[in-house]
Each structure stands twice: as structure tokens, then as C-alpha cells.
Amino acid sequence: FALDSDFLQANVGYAWCLLYEAEIDGYNDFETPLRVLENVVRRYPGQGGIVYALTRKDTERIAEALRKAGVDARPYHAGMDPADRARVQDDFVNERLQVVAATIAFGMGIDRSNVRFVVHAHLPRSLEHYQQESGRAGRDGLPAECVLLASAGDLFRHRRMAQLDGPLSAERRVALDRQLAGIGRFAV
């Protein structure tokens, strides 16, 4: 898969930040990506943004850390009570919530054109995912920003999560390898 340059919006700034870590199992230094994230949010006070994270736990940690920093943020993931999840989505779409920290479960059918930033706190699983998720920024034509925080550990986490239900078929393993190699090359 090659990145479709048509998806790059002229009004959106794109940035990558490579993170280095001593552990494979998640960031051993949560403060570094959090500082980057807080800086992005501060550039858009009171304006809407989405932070994509790899796991439910990650979304909750990020939302809690942003709330402690004074940002109106809530998590969104498939493990939430459906009524709570619907409330978060409704509050975000209707501009009563500034930031959603979400897994890939968030975004389908979101009709909010004034999303000022999309931050990927972890590498998405593929370029296709990155393209779809980052495309939610700046749909109104005003300046917006997409930031990708990347670490080699994210690739290991994706691979481990893909195998949670058991060994992958040869075909699925090849497809996953292709996806991870593509996003890995893109990030560096």
C-alpha cells in the first residue's frame, strides 16, 4: 500500500515524532508522549481534537492525564457501557467535549468538520488506518494538525494483540507483516 497523496490536505500540518524506549511493552516513559500531546492541545485551546491510542487502557490513561492538565477529555472504546460511549460521541460531535482519547472504534460516522488536531499516541496498524483517522482533521478547510507519535514498541504491541485469539494463519501473518512494515517505513 502506498500513501495516497490526495489525502494530504493543504490546510493540515503533518508531523512525526519518533519515541525511543527501553521496554517493548508500552512506553516506559509516559511523560514524553504526554508532553508532546499537551503541547498540541494547548495550541488549540477549547477546540476539538481526537487522540488515537492502541488499547482501552491507553485511552483511559491519556484522558485522565489530559483532565489532570485541565483539558476536557474523555476516553472512548468498545469496552465502555454503550450509553456512556454514545454520550461521549454525542458530546464531541455537538462540541461539548474538547478531546476524545479513542481506540479505532471512534470516528466512523463522526460528523464534526472543525476537528483541529488528530494525534496518534501510537502507530496505527496500517497506512490505511492512518489515512482514514488523520483525515478527520480540518475538514472545514481551516488550519489543523496531525501528529504521529511512533515507537518500535508499537509494532510489537500490534503483533502481540493480533495473536491474542491464537496463532495467525499464514495468509493473515503475511498481511499483518505488510501492514506493519508499511506504517513502520512511513513513520521513519
PDB file of all heavy atoms in Angstrom, residues 3 5 18 28 36 45 62 65 67 76 79 85 88 100 115 118 122 135 149 154 158 164 169 179-180 184:
ATOM      1  N   LEU A   3       0.977   5.459   0.284  1.00  0.00           N
ATOM      2  CA  LEU A   3       0.190   6.560   0.814  1.00  0.00           C
ATOM      3  C   LEU A   3      -0.382   7.348  -0.348  1.00  0.00           C
ATOM      4  O   LEU A   3       0.323   7.745  -1.264  1.00  0.00           O
ATOM      5  CB  LEU A   3       1.083   7.448   1.683  1.00  0.00           C
ATOM      6  CG  LEU A   3       0.382   8.582   2.413  1.00  0.00           C
ATOM      7  CD1 LEU A   3      -0.596   8.008   3.432  1.00  0.00           C
ATOM      8  CD2 LEU A   3       1.396   9.455   3.099  1.00  0.00           C
ATOM      9  N   SER A   5      -1.366  10.480  -1.892  1.00  0.00           N
ATOM     10  CA  SER A   5      -1.060  11.889  -1.631  1.00  0.00           C
ATOM     11  C   SER A   5      -2.301  12.763  -1.729  1.00  0.00           C
ATOM     12  O   SER A   5      -2.307  13.880  -1.238  1.00  0.00           O
ATOM     13  CB  SER A   5       0.032  12.380  -2.578  1.00  0.00           C
ATOM     14  OG  SER A   5      -0.418  12.288  -3.912  1.00  0.00           O
ATOM     15  N   LEU A  18       9.464  10.455  16.652  1.00  0.00           N
ATOM     16  CA  LEU A  18       9.928   9.113  16.998  1.00  0.00           C
ATOM     17  C   LEU A  18      10.273   9.072  18.475  1.00  0.00           C
ATOM     18  O   LEU A  18      11.012   9.917  18.974  1.00  0.00           O
ATOM     19  CB  LEU A  18      11.151   8.741  16.169  1.00  0.00           C
ATOM     20  CG  LEU A  18      10.912   8.625  14.666  1.00  0.00           C
ATOM     21  CD1 LEU A  18      12.212   8.305  13.951  1.00  0.00           C
ATOM     22  CD2 LEU A  18       9.871   7.570  14.369  1.00  0.00           C
ATOM     23  N   ASN A  28       7.832   3.159  28.421  1.00  0.00           N
ATOM     24  CA  ASN A  28       8.332   3.150  29.789  1.00  0.00           C
ATOM     25  C   ASN A  28       8.397   4.577  30.313  1.00  0.00           C
ATOM     26  O   ASN A  28       8.563   4.809  31.479  1.00  0.00           O
ATOM     27  CB  ASN A  28       9.690   2.452  29.893  1.00  0.00           C
ATOM     28  CG  ASN A  28      10.784   3.208  29.169  1.00  0.00           C
ATOM     29  OD1 ASN A  28      10.524   4.142  28.431  1.00  0.00           O
ATOM     30  ND2 ASN A  28      12.014   2.782  29.384  1.00  0.00           N
ATOM     31  N   VAL A  36       4.249  15.982  24.550  1.00  0.00           N
ATOM     32  CA  VAL A  36       4.006  16.300  23.143  1.00  0.00           C
ATOM     33  C   VAL A  36       2.512  16.524  22.930  1.00  0.00           C
ATOM     34  O   VAL A  36       2.089  17.502  22.304  1.00  0.00           O
ATOM     35  CB  VAL A  36       4.537  15.180  22.217  1.00  0.00           C
ATOM     36  CG1 VAL A  36       4.124  15.431  20.774  1.00  0.00           C
ATOM     37  CG2 VAL A  36       6.050  15.072  22.319  1.00  0.00           C
ATOM     38  N   PRO A  45      -6.659  25.910  22.095  1.00  0.00           N
ATOM     39  CA  PRO A  45      -7.456  25.975  23.330  1.00  0.00           C
ATOM     40  C   PRO A  45      -8.958  25.956  23.042  1.00  0.00           C
ATOM     41  O   PRO A  45      -9.457  26.702  22.198  1.00  0.00           O
ATOM     42  CB  PRO A  45      -7.021  27.294  23.970  1.00  0.00           C
ATOM     43  CG  PRO A  45      -6.384  28.086  22.882  1.00  0.00           C
ATOM     44  CD  PRO A  45      -5.862  27.106  21.884  1.00  0.00           C
ATOM     45  N   ILE A  62      -4.636   8.314  28.917  1.00  0.00           N
ATOM     46  CA  ILE A  62      -4.452   9.586  28.212  1.00  0.00           C
ATOM     47  C   ILE A  62      -5.530  10.581  28.625  1.00  0.00           C
ATOM     48  O   ILE A  62      -5.236  11.740  28.932  1.00  0.00           O
ATOM     49  CB  ILE A  62      -4.438   9.362  26.690  1.00  0.00           C
ATOM     50  CG1 ILE A  62      -3.138   8.645  26.290  1.00  0.00           C
ATOM     51  CG2 ILE A  62      -4.595  10.680  25.932  1.00  0.00           C
ATOM     52  CD1 ILE A  62      -3.147   8.081  24.881  1.00  0.00           C
ATOM     53  N   ALA A  65      -4.854  11.810  32.158  1.00  0.00           N
ATOM     54  CA  ALA A  65      -3.713  12.724  32.207  1.00  0.00           C
ATOM     55  C   ALA A  65      -4.079  14.092  31.634  1.00  0.00           C
ATOM     56  O   ALA A  65      -3.682  15.127  32.192  1.00  0.00           O
ATOM     57  CB  ALA A  65      -2.532  12.127  31.441  1.00  0.00           C
ATOM     58  N   ARG A  67      -7.112  15.405  31.580  1.00  0.00           N
ATOM     59  CA  ARG A  67      -8.006  16.048  32.551  1.00  0.00           C
ATOM     60  C   ARG A  67      -7.203  16.659  33.695  1.00  0.00           C
ATOM     61  O   ARG A  67      -7.497  17.770  34.140  1.00  0.00           O
ATOM     62  CB  ARG A  67      -9.033  15.050  33.085  1.00  0.00           C
ATOM     63  CG  ARG A  67     -10.195  14.815  32.145  1.00  0.00           C
ATOM     64  CD  ARG A  67     -11.353  14.091  32.811  1.00  0.00           C
ATOM     65  NE  ARG A  67     -10.974  12.843  33.453  1.00  0.00           N
ATOM     66  CZ  ARG A  67     -10.906  11.663  32.844  1.00  0.00           C
ATOM     67  NH1 ARG A  67     -11.193  11.562  31.569  1.00  0.00           N
ATOM     68  NH2 ARG A  67     -10.558  10.583  33.509  1.00  0.00           N
ATOM     69  N   TYR A  76     -12.871   6.817  24.867  1.00  0.00           N
ATOM     70  CA  TYR A  76     -13.907   6.197  24.043  1.00  0.00           C
ATOM     71  C   TYR A  76     -13.347   4.883  23.538  1.00  0.00           C
ATOM     72  O   TYR A  76     -12.320   4.865  22.862  1.00  0.00           O
ATOM     73  CB  TYR A  76     -14.275   7.100  22.864  1.00  0.00           C
ATOM     74  CG  TYR A  76     -15.372   6.542  21.979  1.00  0.00           C
ATOM     75  CD1 TYR A  76     -16.674   6.988  22.104  1.00  0.00           C
ATOM     76  CD2 TYR A  76     -15.101   5.579  21.021  1.00  0.00           C
ATOM     77  CE1 TYR A  76     -17.697   6.492  21.304  1.00  0.00           C
ATOM     78  CE2 TYR A  76     -16.112   5.076  20.216  1.00  0.00           C
ATOM     79  CZ  TYR A  76     -17.397   5.531  20.352  1.00  0.00           C
ATOM     80  OH  TYR A  76     -18.392   5.033  19.552  1.00  0.00           O
ATOM     81  N   GLY A  79     -15.123  -1.203  25.070  1.00  0.00           N
ATOM     82  CA  GLY A  79     -15.406  -1.822  26.359  1.00  0.00           C
ATOM     83  C   GLY A  79     -16.267  -0.972  27.270  1.00  0.00           C
ATOM     84  O   GLY A  79     -16.642  -1.412  28.355  1.00  0.00           O
ATOM     85  N   ARG A  85     -20.622   5.463  26.016  1.00  0.00           N
ATOM     86  CA  ARG A  85     -19.935   5.646  24.733  1.00  0.00           C
ATOM     87  C   ARG A  85     -20.741   6.593  23.836  1.00  0.00           C
ATOM     88  O   ARG A  85     -20.189   7.503  23.224  1.00  0.00           O
ATOM     89  CB  ARG A  85     -19.725   4.284  24.070  1.00  0.00           C
ATOM     90  CG  ARG A  85     -18.633   4.286  23.055  1.00  0.00           C
ATOM     91  CD  ARG A  85     -18.266   2.906  22.562  1.00  0.00           C
ATOM     92  NE  ARG A  85     -19.404   2.159  22.076  1.00  0.00           N
ATOM     93  CZ  ARG A  85     -19.798   0.977  22.547  1.00  0.00           C
ATOM     94  NH1 ARG A  85     -19.142   0.394  23.524  1.00  0.00           N
ATOM     95  NH2 ARG A  85     -20.838   0.363  22.035  1.00  0.00           N
ATOM     96  N   VAL A  88     -20.360  10.204  25.069  1.00  0.00           N
ATOM     97  CA  VAL A  88     -19.077  10.799  24.688  1.00  0.00           C
ATOM     98  C   VAL A  88     -19.118  11.231  23.224  1.00  0.00           C
ATOM     99  O   VAL A  88     -18.728  12.351  22.878  1.00  0.00           O
ATOM    100  CB  VAL A  88     -17.903   9.818  24.935  1.00  0.00           C
ATOM    101  CG1 VAL A  88     -16.615  10.322  24.295  1.00  0.00           C
ATOM    102  CG2 VAL A  88     -17.705   9.593  26.425  1.00  0.00           C
ATOM    103  N   VAL A 100     -11.314  13.666  22.630  1.00  0.00           N
ATOM    104  CA  VAL A 100     -11.657  12.266  22.814  1.00  0.00           C
ATOM    105  C   VAL A 100     -10.372  11.461  22.658  1.00  0.00           C
ATOM    106  O   VAL A 100      -9.653  11.615  21.660  1.00  0.00           O
ATOM    107  CB  VAL A 100     -12.697  11.787  21.772  1.00  0.00           C
ATOM    108  CG1 VAL A 100     -12.907  10.291  21.882  1.00  0.00           C
ATOM    109  CG2 VAL A 100     -13.994  12.517  21.947  1.00  0.00           C
ATOM    110  N   VAL A 115     -12.573  19.614  13.570  1.00  0.00           N
ATOM    111  CA  VAL A 115     -11.555  18.929  14.387  1.00  0.00           C
ATOM    112  C   VAL A 115     -10.220  19.587  14.060  1.00  0.00           C
ATOM    113  O   VAL A 115      -9.766  19.570  12.914  1.00  0.00           O
ATOM    114  CB  VAL A 115     -11.529  17.416  14.082  1.00  0.00           C
ATOM    115  CG1 VAL A 115     -10.363  16.736  14.788  1.00  0.00           C
ATOM    116  CG2 VAL A 115     -12.847  16.770  14.488  1.00  0.00           C
ATOM    117  N   VAL A 118      -5.538  15.812  15.224  1.00  0.00           N
ATOM    118  CA  VAL A 118      -5.608  14.371  15.423  1.00  0.00           C
ATOM    119  C   VAL A 118      -4.203  13.947  15.814  1.00  0.00           C
ATOM    120  O   VAL A 118      -3.235  14.239  15.098  1.00  0.00           O
ATOM    121  CB  VAL A 118      -6.057  13.620  14.154  1.00  0.00           C
ATOM    122  CG1 VAL A 118      -5.896  12.111  14.337  1.00  0.00           C
ATOM    123  CG2 VAL A 118      -7.500  13.966  13.803  1.00  0.00           C
ATOM    124  N   HIS A 122       0.117   6.256  19.360  1.00  0.00           N
ATOM    125  CA  HIS A 122       0.846   5.045  18.978  1.00  0.00           C
ATOM    126  C   HIS A 122       0.712   4.910  17.477  1.00  0.00           C
ATOM    127  O   HIS A 122      -0.222   5.455  16.875  1.00  0.00           O
ATOM    128  CB  HIS A 122       0.238   3.804  19.635  1.00  0.00           C
ATOM    129  CG  HIS A 122       0.105   3.922  21.117  1.00  0.00           C
ATOM    130  ND1 HIS A 122      -1.058   4.340  21.728  1.00  0.00           N
ATOM    131  CD2 HIS A 122       0.981   3.692  22.099  1.00  0.00           C
ATOM    132  CE1 HIS A 122      -0.872   4.358  23.029  1.00  0.00           C
ATOM    133  NE2 HIS A 122       0.346   3.971  23.293  1.00  0.00           N
ATOM    134  N   GLY A 135      -7.553  11.868   8.420  1.00  0.00           N
ATOM    135  CA  GLY A 135      -8.448  12.610   7.543  1.00  0.00           C
ATOM    136  C   GLY A 135      -9.594  13.288   8.266  1.00  0.00           C
ATOM    137  O   GLY A 135     -10.350  14.052   7.661  1.00  0.00           O
ATOM    138  N   LEU A 149       2.951   9.944  16.914  1.00  0.00           N
ATOM    139  CA  LEU A 149       3.986   9.556  17.872  1.00  0.00           C
ATOM    140  C   LEU A 149       4.288   8.084  17.606  1.00  0.00           C
ATOM    141  O   LEU A 149       3.402   7.246  17.688  1.00  0.00           O
ATOM    142  CB  LEU A 149       3.503   9.756  19.305  1.00  0.00           C
ATOM    143  CG  LEU A 149       3.038  11.174  19.648  1.00  0.00           C
ATOM    144  CD1 LEU A 149       2.541  11.231  21.080  1.00  0.00           C
ATOM    145  CD2 LEU A 149       4.140  12.181  19.412  1.00  0.00           C
ATOM    146  N   ASP A 154       5.455  -0.087  19.410  1.00  0.00           N
ATOM    147  CA  ASP A 154       4.090  -0.140  18.893  1.00  0.00           C
ATOM    148  C   ASP A 154       3.920  -1.295  17.911  1.00  0.00           C
ATOM    149  O   ASP A 154       2.884  -1.953  17.887  1.00  0.00           O
ATOM    150  CB  ASP A 154       3.722   1.167  18.191  1.00  0.00           C
ATOM    151  CG  ASP A 154       3.710   2.358  19.126  1.00  0.00           C
ATOM    152  OD1 ASP A 154       3.606   2.165  20.355  1.00  0.00           O
ATOM    153  OD2 ASP A 154       3.808   3.492  18.616  1.00  0.00           O
ATOM    154  N   HIS A 158       1.218  -4.327  18.325  1.00  0.00           N
ATOM    155  CA  HIS A 158       0.238  -4.710  17.298  1.00  0.00           C
ATOM    156  C   HIS A 158       0.327  -6.206  16.995  1.00  0.00           C
ATOM    157  O   HIS A 158      -0.689  -6.888  16.887  1.00  0.00           O
ATOM    158  CB  HIS A 158       0.473  -3.922  16.000  1.00  0.00           C
ATOM    159  CG  HIS A 158      -0.152  -2.574  15.994  1.00  0.00           C
ATOM    160  ND1 HIS A 158      -1.508  -2.372  16.039  1.00  0.00           N
ATOM    161  CD2 HIS A 158       0.408  -1.335  15.940  1.00  0.00           C
ATOM    162  CE1 HIS A 158      -1.765  -1.079  16.016  1.00  0.00           C
ATOM    163  NE2 HIS A 158      -0.621  -0.429  15.956  1.00  0.00           N
ATOM    164  N   LEU A 164      -3.682 -12.523  20.058  1.00  0.00           N
ATOM    165  CA  LEU A 164      -4.392 -12.807  21.310  1.00  0.00           C
ATOM    166  C   LEU A 164      -5.405 -13.932  21.171  1.00  0.00           C
ATOM    167  O   LEU A 164      -5.647 -14.673  22.126  1.00  0.00           O
ATOM    168  CB  LEU A 164      -5.088 -11.546  21.832  1.00  0.00           C
ATOM    169  CG  LEU A 164      -4.170 -10.487  22.434  1.00  0.00           C
ATOM    170  CD1 LEU A 164      -4.978  -9.257  22.834  1.00  0.00           C
ATOM    171  CD2 LEU A 164      -3.400 -11.028  23.626  1.00  0.00           C
ATOM    172  N   SER A 169      -3.053 -17.344  10.775  1.00  0.00           N
ATOM    173  CA  SER A 169      -2.861 -18.148   9.571  1.00  0.00           C
ATOM    174  C   SER A 169      -1.696 -17.542   8.787  1.00  0.00           C
ATOM    175  O   SER A 169      -1.345 -16.372   8.973  1.00  0.00           O
ATOM    176  CB  SER A 169      -4.126 -18.137   8.707  1.00  0.00           C
ATOM    177  OG  SER A 169      -4.315 -16.834   8.162  1.00  0.00           O
ATOM    178  N   GLN A 179       1.288  -4.739   6.501  1.00  0.00           N
ATOM    179  CA  GLN A 179       0.727  -3.535   7.111  1.00  0.00           C
ATOM    180  C   GLN A 179       1.720  -2.866   8.052  1.00  0.00           C
ATOM    181  O   GLN A 179       1.929  -1.655   8.001  1.00  0.00           O
ATOM    182  CB  GLN A 179      -0.543  -3.886   7.896  1.00  0.00           C
ATOM    183  CG  GLN A 179      -1.724  -4.222   7.054  1.00  0.00           C
ATOM    184  CD  GLN A 179      -2.907  -4.645   7.903  1.00  0.00           C
ATOM    185  OE1 GLN A 179      -2.764  -5.231   8.981  1.00  0.00           O
ATOM    186  NE2 GLN A 179      -4.108  -4.349   7.405  1.00  0.00           N
ATOM    187  N   LEU A 180       2.327  -3.670   8.927  1.00  0.00           N
ATOM    188  CA  LEU A 180       3.251  -3.104   9.911  1.00  0.00           C
ATOM    189  C   LEU A 180       4.509  -2.564   9.260  1.00  0.00           C
ATOM    190  O   LEU A 180       5.044  -1.528   9.668  1.00  0.00           O
ATOM    191  CB  LEU A 180       3.579  -4.155  10.977  1.00  0.00           C
ATOM    192  CG  LEU A 180       2.400  -4.577  11.856  1.00  0.00           C
ATOM    193  CD1 LEU A 180       2.830  -5.642  12.868  1.00  0.00           C
ATOM    194  CD2 LEU A 180       1.744  -3.400  12.548  1.00  0.00           C
ATOM    195  N   GLY A 184       5.560   1.283   9.497  1.00  0.00           N
ATOM    196  CA  GLY A 184       6.892   1.485  10.080  1.00  0.00           C
ATOM    197  C   GLY A 184       7.785   2.312   9.172  1.00  0.00           C
ATOM    198  O   GLY A 184       8.470   3.227   9.619  1.00  0.00           O
TER     199      GLY A 184
END
